[in-house]
Amino acid sequence: MHKKILLLGSGELGKELVIALKRLGQTVIAADSYAGAPAMQVADDFEVLDMLNGEQLDSIVLKHKPDLIVPEIEAIRTERFYEYEKQNFKVIPSARAANFTMNRKLIRDLASKELGLRTAKYFYATTFEEFGNAVGEIGLPCVVKPLMSSSGKGQSVLKNENDQQKVWDYAINNSRGDLREVIIEQFISFHTEITLLTVTQVSGRTLFCPPIGHRQERGDYMESWQPVAISEQDYKDACEMSKRVTTSLTGTGIWGVEFFLTDKGVYFSELSPRPHDTGMVTLAGTQNFSEFELHARAILGLPIPEIKLERAGASAVILANKMAEHFTITGIERALEVNNIDVRVFGKPTTRPYRRMAVALSYDKTGADVNELRKKAKAAADKISIN
């Protein structure tokens, strides 16, 4: 049952996953582009490399010969994963899943054209001229994103025709890797965005966590809450779509599948083949297993009999506002003076504007008012400063 695990990406999500894996007696090597990343602080060993450099990636795989290769970020030379599988390395969830989900073009075409899931109308563009034509077809407002990026970087809503050049440049300049292409999407009028954490198992049925509501700014998550108000039909439809897309992509583990809830039903948005940032609310004990514990069990092939809601909870992020190599985090003691509040500090060694540095969590019994919990989490986060 002991495995050697190579974690590709060592941010705050990776850190919580390492903790969950270490509790199950596993050995973890955490890799990232800089030393001192959060997951490295709790792993058995670490590697610093450019994961978009295929030769560097190959070298650490051959050096460590891991039982499991677990991607935690988008910026990886994912096409190498197919070769690793040929060499009998196990990629989580699979090479196919990693390649499709780290490229918005592949996953959107799979969802819309192959699986027939309901999605926003969309076009792709590799030139500014193509971009302008797509905007003309879709109309304003529309959503513009790089085909490959992370944490909302490069994503914006185009509302004014005069802003086309600015929005195009922002998307292209924030593309990850060597892919310079954008997706232009119809703006969906939704009342709620949700994440449906979906767990696929080696043996056993696909499981779904109680849906998580979330709010974004600049394309990045700012707060999340669980449970979220959803109709029985919308929940059933979301589960069916999640199961179809994860089955097609193959593999085991947790998936963060995002949807728009509208007055006309559920629209598929995106998915990540790993723990999701909005799922940090599960660190408040909202479920019998956090999303990180679920991922650890699933990738190790351990059984998960059921997932159940045990508390209501909310999360609110704490962001840095400047570039700094030396800083202090203050106000944690003030935040923790309130009942049913918890805080996770990620331990990132440097700051930059909008970098996520910590998260505040609030929780209460299952029937508690989630909107009040959101206010409590936000109030706790507001007491914490990065200076």
Side-chain angles (χ1 to χ4, degrees):
M1 194 49 238
H2 177 261
K3 304 285 186 186
K4 183 192 286 186
I5 299 164
L6 177 60
L7 180 67
L8 299 178
S10 298
E12 59 268 30
L13 303 180
K15 182 176 186 177
E16 294 294 338
L17 177 60
V18 173
I19 292 169
L21 289 166
K22 293 303 297 176
R23 285 175 174 156
L24 293 171
Q26 308 305 304
T27 296
V28 185
I29 301 99
D32 213 310
S33 60
Y34 64 97
M40 294 178 183
Q41 300 162 19
V42 291
D44 298 275
D45 198 356
F46 71 92
E47 295 282 355
V48 177
L49 74 153
D50 175 7
M51 286 176 286
L52 287 170
N53 184 312
E55 291 181 358
Q56 290 186 30
L57 197 59
D58 292 347
S59 68
I60 67 159
V61 170
L62 293 175
K63 174 183 174 180
H64 292 285
K65 295 183 171 55
D67 298 295
L68 303 175
I69 299 172
V70 182
E72 193 255 347
I73 61 171
E74 290 89 350
I76 303 172
R77 191 62 65 184
T78 52
E79 68 271 16
R80 284 292 213 272
F81 291 167
Y82 290 116
E83 186 60 33
Y84 300 158
E85 286 189 338
K86 290 178 183 176
Q87 296 170 20
N88 293 320
F89 291 109
K90 183 170 178 58
V91 177
I92 299 296
S94 64
R96 173 179 166 84
N99 276 276
F100 272 65
T101 56
M102 305 233 184
N103 182 320
R104 289 189 171 101
K105 188 172 191 175
L106 292 175
I107 190 61
R108 181 56 61 88
D109 285 351
L110 173 69
S112 178
K113 296 178 181 178
E114 292 187 38
L115 300 179
L117 306 188
R118 178 190 257 180
T119 69
K121 184 179 179 181
Y122 64 96
F123 292 96
Y124 305 117
T126 57
T127 67
F128 185 68
E129 183 181 1
E130 290 176 353
F131 173 66
N133 292 338
V135 171
E137 286 285 335
I138 290 178
L140 299 178
C142 59
V143 181
V144 182
K145 308 172 186 176
L147 281 189
M148 189 175 288
S149 68
S150 63
S151 300
K153 293 180 180 66
Q155 177 176 324
S156 57
V157 178
L158 177 62
K159 300 177 182 178
N160 189 315
E161 202 171 283
N162 295 328
D163 292 335
Q164 286 191 44
Q165 188 69 56
K166 181 174 70 174
V167 167
W168 166 260
D169 290 343
Y170 179 58
I172 288 295
N173 292 336
N174 283 276
S175 295
R176 284 287 184 93
D178 48 18
L179 188 63
R180 293 291 182 266
E181 190 170 1
V182 303
I183 181 170
I184 304 96
E185 298 177 341
Q186 169 193 11
F187 184 85
I188 298 294
S189 179
F190 60 90
H191 55 76
T192 313
E193 267 187 288
I194 69 164
T195 303
L196 183 62
L197 294 174
T198 301
V199 183
T200 52
Q201 303 186 74
V202 173
S203 57
R205 59 194 177 93
T206 296
L207 301 174
F208 306 97
C209 297
I212 295 168
H214 59 89
R215 182 179 65 83
Q216 298 187 26
E217 290 180 13
R218 302 170 304 279
D220 203 2
Y221 129 87
M222 298 298 295
E223 61 169 330
S224 61
W225 57 95
Q226 188 186 33
V228 64
I230 185 172
S231 71
E232 185 176 339
Q233 186 61 51
D234 283 352
Y235 177 63
K236 181 179 177 181
D237 291 344
C239 290
E240 174 61 26
M241 284 192 268
S242 288
K243 186 171 183 179
R244 286 175 66 188
V245 71
T246 55
T247 298
S248 174
L249 291 172
T250 72
T252 59
I254 200 163
W255 312 69
V257 191
E258 296 182 56
F259 295 95
F260 298 118
L261 301 187
T262 77
D263 293 337
K264 297 179 180 179
V266 181
Y267 285 76
F268 171 84
S269 175
E270 294 183 342
L271 86 159
S272 301
R274 57 188 177 276
H276 200 267
D277 49 10
T278 62
M280 281 194 279
V281 68
T282 63
L283 293 171
T286 54
Q287 303 179 163
N288 55 326
F289 301 110
S290 75
E291 67 166 341
F292 308 100
E293 293 165 332
L294 289 170
H295 197 47
R297 282 197 176 206
I299 68 178
L300 293 172
L302 296 173
I304 305 167
E306 66 171 347
I307 302 170
K308 58 183 179 179
L309 187 74
E310 296 197 332
R311 289 174 172 174
S315 74
V317 302
I318 295 120
L319 304 177
N321 60 9
K322 62 181 179 181
M323 295 279 292
E325 293 186 3
H326 304 286
F327 61 92
T328 57
I329 300 178
T330 59
I332 294 174
E333 66 283 356
R334 291 180 55 230
L336 296 179
E337 288 174 349
V338 180
N339 287 339
N340 296 356
I341 291 289
D342 202 354
V343 172
R344 295 288 192 279
V345 177
F346 305 144
K348 294 178 180 178
T350 61
T351 68
R352 60 176 178 265
Y354 303 118
R355 191 176 200 190
R356 197 161 53 214
M357 303 299 291
V359 66
L361 305 161
S362 65
Y363 56 90
D364 207 335
K365 58 188 177 183
T366 54
D369 186 334
V370 173
N371 287 326
E372 289 302 313
L373 289 175
R374 290 172 63 187
K375 291 176 184 176
K376 280 186 69 173
K378 180 66 167 59
D382 287 344
K383 293 175 183 177
I384 299 171
S385 300
I386 317 291
N387 301 303

